[in-house]
Amino acid sequence: MSANSTRVTYDYPAASPANSPHWDRIVGNVGETTEPNNEEAAGNPSMINSHQELITHFKHDVASLSEIDRKEAYLKIAKWSCVIGYCEALTTHKDSSRRYSIFPIPVASLIRLVHDEFIPLIEAVPNHSNIHRQIVQSLSNAKWKRCQNKSSSMQDELHANSLYVCLCGDVDGKSLDCFGAALSTVIGMNLLGFRSILTLSEDHAYESHLLGTQNEEKSNKTTTSSKIEYATCEVAIPGNTKASQSKRGREISETFIDLQKQSPRQQSRKNITAETSWLYMKDNAVMCDNAGMTLAALVGNMNCDIDKQKPIGESGKPQIVSGALYQMKRDMLWALYDAGYINNFPFALMELGECEEHLSSERGL
């Protein structure tokens, strides 16, 4: 089923998700009588059957973020990254015969996915004497070995922005994009007990952490925010070659050094640094330094497009988007707004505005 406007077609697939390959991947591999353990099941329904149930459960988790420790909070972010990634995969396939209704959502199976596949992956990462940068590199390398890898640019990949894609990208042949790579690394580091911060700069995402913590080398270049010094780690380099692996975990400023070496005659690149480049907001990146902001970044990065965006009128056809995803994204962002997590987060506020432009709620009128 779809709803049309002159510019946009809002798609609402009716096919049962139980018929999808994603359901087979996360539910079909587990016997119907298998239940998650007490830690996995605590406070979570086994199935979410409606939009209202989904938003009620999401609001409950958002409210709990201020009451639980950092590790528990990022475990919830891991769950929601899998839930959102799963819903995005169900509703945005280019082939309409492979698009499915969001509900019911097998929450217990998605939580089990985190506990059975992601946590063992990060727990196998070497300790490296608790040196933060080396652990980030090892975790990032392990993640890229686990996910699908493609030779094409990450920027060309759609709907590749979640932990779900990292673990189940084989279903649709999806690799990770830049945001998905940074988010999954930051989730993993926090679950290992480190204070790791998702950092957003224009169209790039990377990892940041306090300088001097976890034996971080003092000689590393840093960014500065509110007089607090941070070290950064590049984690979005795709591929499993030695060259790719060696570039992960480095300071983002080293990216510019590489560019200068590759093109020594290009004067325009000689003076570009992380502090002056637009890509890194001239050293003023958005730092998601609490779980609520990280969750807001996750929700804000939901991609509701089914086909790639084109200028209005270029093809003569309306753009096809997922109406169900827009409704889900809109109401999740309102929940985060009410909790105070996006008041100073322009990107998330902009995304909420776009959702209201597409599918207005009573609050947005």
Side-chain angles (χ1 to χ4, degrees):
M1 183 177 68
S2 62
N4 298 324
S5 73
T6 56
R7 299 189 307 167
V8 181
T9 295
Y10 296 97
D11 189 63
Y12 295 89
S16 170
N19 297 324
S20 74
H22 293 279
W23 187 284
D24 289 341
R25 170 65 174 82
I26 63 170
V27 181
N29 291 340
V30 180
E32 292 184 2
T33 60
T34 303
E35 296 292 336
N37 62 41
N38 290 338
E39 180 186 3
E40 295 170 4
N44 293 291
S46 60
M47 289 279 181
I48 291 178
N49 296 294
S50 69
H51 177 77
Q52 187 57 51
E53 283 185 29
L54 174 68
I55 299 306
T56 298
H57 184 52
F58 182 76
K59 287 180 178 179
H60 176 271
D61 277 1
V62 170
S64 74
L65 294 179
S66 61
E67 302 171 356
I68 57 180
D69 64 28
R70 193 174 183 89
K71 185 174 181 179
E72 289 182 278
Y74 275 84
L75 197 57
K76 289 187 182 295
I77 292 172
K79 175 186 77 175
W80 283 107
S81 187
C82 283
V83 170
I84 289 170
Y86 165 79
C87 292
E88 192 168 320
L90 281 181
T91 57
T92 57
H93 201 282
K94 291 182 180 180
D95 183 348
S96 60
S97 68
R98 293 189 63 180
R99 296 200 290 268
Y100 303 88
S101 172
I102 287 176
F103 304 105
I105 302 172
V107 178
S109 295
L110 290 163
I111 293 171
R112 188 183 295 110
L113 183 69
V114 174
H115 283 266
D116 289 357
E117 298 192 26
F118 186 61
I119 290 180
L121 177 72
I122 64 175
E123 287 181 342
V125 171
N127 184 292
H128 292 300
S129 300
N130 279 343
I131 297 177
H132 193 111
R133 188 176 300 280
Q134 291 185 19
I135 297 174
V136 168
Q137 183 184 53
S138 292
L139 192 154
S140 185
N141 287 342
K143 170 200 65 188
W144 280 105
K145 288 180 181 178
R146 174 67 178 78
C147 73
Q148 296 287 296
N149 270 278
K150 293 184 176 182
S151 57
S152 61
S153 169
M154 291 179 300
Q155 295 177 351
D156 296 330
E157 194 75 276
L158 297 177
H159 312 295
N161 49 5
S162 67
L163 181 57
Y164 179 79
V165 172
C166 176
L167 300 174
C168 300
D170 56 304
V171 177
D172 287 330
K174 294 284 186 183
S175 184
L176 283 171
D177 66 6
C178 176
F179 179 84
L183 177 68
S184 55
T185 300
V186 167
I187 290 173
M189 288 297 291
N190 280 283
L191 292 182
L192 288 175
F194 294 88
R195 186 177 180 84
S196 181
I197 302 169
L198 177 66
T199 310
L200 308 176
S201 297
E202 300 292 347
D203 65 348
H204 195 49
Y206 50 96
E207 191 268 358
S208 294
H209 53 278
L210 286 171
L211 183 67
T213 60
Q214 287 84 38
N215 296 322
E216 176 65 53
E217 292 296 330
K218 296 273 186 180
S219 60
N220 288 325
K221 294 182 179 180
T222 66
T223 59
T224 303
S225 176
S226 300
K227 298 182 180 180
I228 300 174
E229 291 186 307
Y230 293 90
T232 62
C233 288
E234 178 65 79
V235 295
I237 306 296
N240 284 313
T241 64
K242 288 185 178 180
S244 296
Q245 293 176 7
S246 67
K247 291 177 181 178
R248 298 181 195 129
R250 301 191 309 171
E251 280 285 339
I252 56 170
S253 58
E254 294 187 41
T255 301
F256 298 99
I257 295 174
D258 285 348
L259 288 173
Q260 291 165 6
K261 289 179 179 178
Q262 292 169 10
S263 306
R265 295 183 180 180
Q266 291 191 19
Q267 186 66 34
S268 61
R269 287 183 173 179
K270 287 186 178 180
N271 298 320
I272 297 179
T273 67
E275 291 75 27
T276 60
S277 169
W278 68 269
L279 184 63
Y280 297 100
M281 290 185 177
K282 295 186 177 180
D283 201 21
N284 289 296
V286 175
M287 304 190 72
C288 301
D289 58 358
N290 60 64
M293 280 192 70
T294 306
L295 187 56
L298 161 61
V299 175
N301 269 277
M302 289 173 64
N303 185 347
C304 305
D305 296 341
I306 293 174
D307 55 1
K308 287 188 176 182
Q309 288 188 347
K310 295 179 179 179
I312 300 300
E314 181 178 296
S315 65
K317 298 179 181 179
Q319 181 189 0
I320 304 174
V321 300
S322 170
L325 271 188
Y326 262 120
Q327 184 182 16
M328 177 179 170
K329 180 177 179 178
R330 180 197 69 196
D331 292 348
M332 285 181 167
L333 285 171
W334 274 121
L336 289 159
Y337 176 85
D338 290 338
Y341 287 120
I342 68 173
N343 295 1
N344 298 310
F345 196 173
F347 162 73
L349 290 169
M350 178 189 71
E351 291 297 314
L352 176 55
E354 185 195 34
C355 290
E356 286 289 346
E357 182 181 10
H358 277 275
L359 296 175
S360 295
S361 66
E362 291 184 2
R363 298 184 68 175
L365 292 175

